[in-house]
Amino acid sequence: MEKNILLTIEYDGSVFHGWQRQPEALTVQGMLEEALSTVCGKPVEINGTSRTDAGVHAYGQRASFKGDFGIPTERIAYAVNNALLSDKWGEAAGAVRVLKAENVSSDFHARFDSKGKTYVYKIYNMPEMDVFRRNYCYHIPDELDIEAMRKAAKLIEGTHDFKCFEAAGGQERETTVRTISGITVERGNRTGSGAERAGDGSGVERAEGGRGEDGYVNIRVNGDGFLYNMVRIITGTLAEVGLGKRSPEEMTEIIEGKDRTKAGHTAPPQGLYLEQIYY
Amino acid sequence: MEKNILLTIEYDGSVFHGWQRQPEALTVQGMLEEALSTVCGKPVEINGTSRTDAGVHAYGQRASFKGDFGIPTERIAYAVNNALLSDKWGEAAGAVRVLKAENVSSDFHARFDSKGKTYVYKIYNMPEMDVFRRNYCYHIPDELDIEAMRKAAKLIEGTHDFKCFEAAGGQERETTVRTISGITVERGNRTGSGAERAGDGSGVERAEGGRGEDGYVNIRVNGDGFLYNMVRIITGTLAEVGLGKRSPEEMTEIIEGKDRTKAGHTAPPQGLYLEQIYY
């Protein structure tokens, strides 16, 4: 009997040329499809919810695929994760992991049925960078004004035409109107947690080696859908507010102007994490 | 005038074929020498203190080199770090960083004058692994008995013939006698800190994505010198004690037996960090 299977997927984007399958480059979709095809015993093609760019990470990407497979759905995660650890993937071995595989109704579609998503963008806001963080955050050495960033973020929330925050080159879309239901800006740690939740004990500095885990400014954006590079442009614009290069009040003008060139820079991909998708 | 310059170096070993220069493979020494040669305006060869293996990391590697250079020593770190960030290094861009460059006396040698070193080995001791830790720790899902590991570690401390903890294939050495001045085994966090120092607020779990930073068992080994793979074999042996596969008391017998096959397995390279070198 044909099943429709929904996967929840985690990946380290630093070793991939993004989500979407490409003939000559290693992508998350390509690697997953190859491993799933082995495990399921026949060619598998998956529909991912978000086509994340090269360097972007995921804690909770989703993808679905249909087929009549010998393997029970509840064994897929274990089997495919073993296949994903194979040495044949080189440095990408273990860089993707299926957290969950579940049966869903036959008309379910991982992308079209998505009701919303949360992204978290991690800025490392300490004077000195280190080698271990280079693929996992955006380093801004000068101290950010969190209150100013929060004021600006408030002006982004709501339903607006967000053309100002859209990069060229994305997928076709009917409208550039989106609803951002919430943006939080919190000092926190490397896990993406806010300081309030994470306590303050984790930032111990030692004289040599091994800096603490605090020092992050985590921007969490929740919305019904996102335009191409939208979270990265919002982050770049909020960072400019945090650095005093723009006032929070400018945000309204930027949105109303519907002009990408009026917004801030595009923050780099390695700070962005697709955290959760809602159905 | 010829100067003798000592570097303190940090690197992410996951993208390198180890420290030592190789003609066809990217190594830390090779990349550093190329960047230093550019910055210093003439060919530079460096003497590293430890020839770390592929996958092993460093917070405080040291290396020295001599020459008569136009660039003041205090500007070398900044200049070479810029060169190390170049896109030409691909995924290794920014994976090595010079923390400090200082003038030392002309007879100083980074390796021969070393009086001791500290390594830290990071075990991630939680049931579930995630993709972001795969190059930076050793995952042991079953709970380790820390007290048993500490008892075993105590028996390793002191001056002994450590032939039992030496892998084949290392550099020539006059003796296999070494002094281990201390081994600590602590539950702690990802930075290598013990829980006592790091507080306990950092391990907040969220329902989806972004696990906490606790859950580590960090083994810190301090000694005057180390045989090939010694810390990794000590770690593998202590891990077997922690899992109840060996008793702590066996340690004395293992050391006295001077037989590698009586000790435990070699823990994988990605959990090992060269933390500090003493002169």
Side-chain angles (χ1 to χ4, degrees), chain A residues 6-25:
Chain A
L6 175 64
L7 305 176
T8 306
I9 305 150
E10 172 182 88
Y11 48 86
D12 174 347
S14 63
V15 294
F16 294 104
H17 289 80
W19 168 265
Q20 199 173 7
R21 192 194 317 125
Q22 290 178 38
E24 299 296 331

Side-chain angles (χ1 to χ4, degrees), chain B residues 53-75:
Chain B
D53 279 333
V56 174
H57 314 287
Y59 290 129
Q61 169 73 289
R62 302 289 189 112
S64 62
F65 63 104
K66 289 184 176 182
D68 180 8
F69 309 114
I71 183 169
T73 301
E74 62 272 22
R75 291 203 202 141

Side-chain angles (χ1 to χ4, degrees), chain A residues 10-12 59 91 93-95 97 128-132 134 191 197-198 201-202 204 206 209-211 213 275, chain B residues 10-12 59 91 93-95 97 128-132 134 191 197-198 201-202 204 206 209-211 213 275:
Chain A
E10 172 182 88
Y11 48 86
D12 174 347
Y59 290 129
E91 53 156 14
R97 217 168 129 250
E128 291 288 316
M129 185 60 167
D130 69 64
V131 299
F132 299 101
R134 73 191 189 290
T191 66
R197 279 180 289 166
S202 57
V204 177
R206 284 185 296 108
R211 296 186 193 82
E213 293 304 300
E275 187 171 64
Chain B
E10 173 181 89
Y11 49 85
D12 175 346
Y59 290 129
E91 52 154 17
R97 217 168 129 248
E128 289 289 316
M129 185 59 167
D130 69 64
V131 299
F132 298 101
R134 73 192 189 290
T191 67
R197 280 179 289 165
S202 57
V204 176
R206 284 186 295 106
R211 296 186 192 83
E213 293 305 299
E275 185 172 63

Side-chain angles (χ1 to χ4, degrees), chain A residues 127-145:
Chain A
E128 291 288 316
M129 185 60 167
D130 69 64
V131 299
F132 299 101
R133 298 180 213 262
R134 73 191 189 290
N135 293 324
Y136 305 104
C137 60
Y138 177 20
H139 181 221
I140 299 184
D142 294 327
E143 193 173 343
L144 293 167
D145 179 343

Side-chain angles (χ1 to χ4, degrees), chain A residues 73-224:
Chain A
T73 301
E74 62 272 22
R75 293 204 199 141
I76 288 179
Y78 181 84
V80 79
N81 288 337
N82 271 337
L84 292 166
L85 283 168
S86 160
D87 282 345
K88 80 172 194 181
W89 302 110
E91 53 156 14
V96 195
R97 217 168 129 250
V98 173
L99 303 178
K100 195 176 179 183
E102 56 195 308
N103 293 321
V104 288
S105 65
S106 62
D107 59 348
F108 180 90
H109 191 286
R111 183 147 61 94
F112 304 138
D113 287 346
S114 156
K115 293 209 165 41
K117 293 176 205 168
T118 304
Y119 282 94
V120 56
Y121 195 101
K122 303 186 188 180
I123 296 172
Y124 185 58
N125 189 33
M126 296 287 270
E128 291 288 316
M129 185 60 167
D130 69 64
V131 299
F132 299 101
R133 298 180 213 262
R134 73 191 189 290
N135 293 324
Y136 305 104
C137 60
Y138 177 20
H139 181 221
I140 299 184
D142 294 327
E143 193 173 343
L144 293 167
D145 179 343
I146 303 298
E147 283 313 316
M149 293 170 74
R150 285 177 175 160
K151 266 190 213 166
K154 273 281 160 247
L155 299 172
I156 300 174
E157 290 179 358
T159 303
H160 303 282
D161 183 336
F162 283 113
K163 208 166 173 358
C164 64
F165 294 139
E166 182 189 40
Q171 297 175 245
E172 272 186 59
R173 69 282 176 283
E174 280 175 28
T175 165
T176 47
V177 174
R178 295 288 183 278
T179 299
I180 297 296
S181 46
I183 304 183
T184 60
V185 182
E186 291 185 290
R187 290 205 178 274
N189 67 24
R190 181 177 197 153
T191 66
S193 298
E196 296 90 315
R197 279 180 289 166
D200 64 351
S202 57
V204 177
E205 303 274 333
R206 284 185 296 108
E208 199 103 355
R211 296 186 193 82
E213 293 304 300
D214 280 350
Y216 284 80
V217 171
N218 297 315
I219 301 175
R220 188 167 269 106
V221 187
N222 200 295
D224 64 345

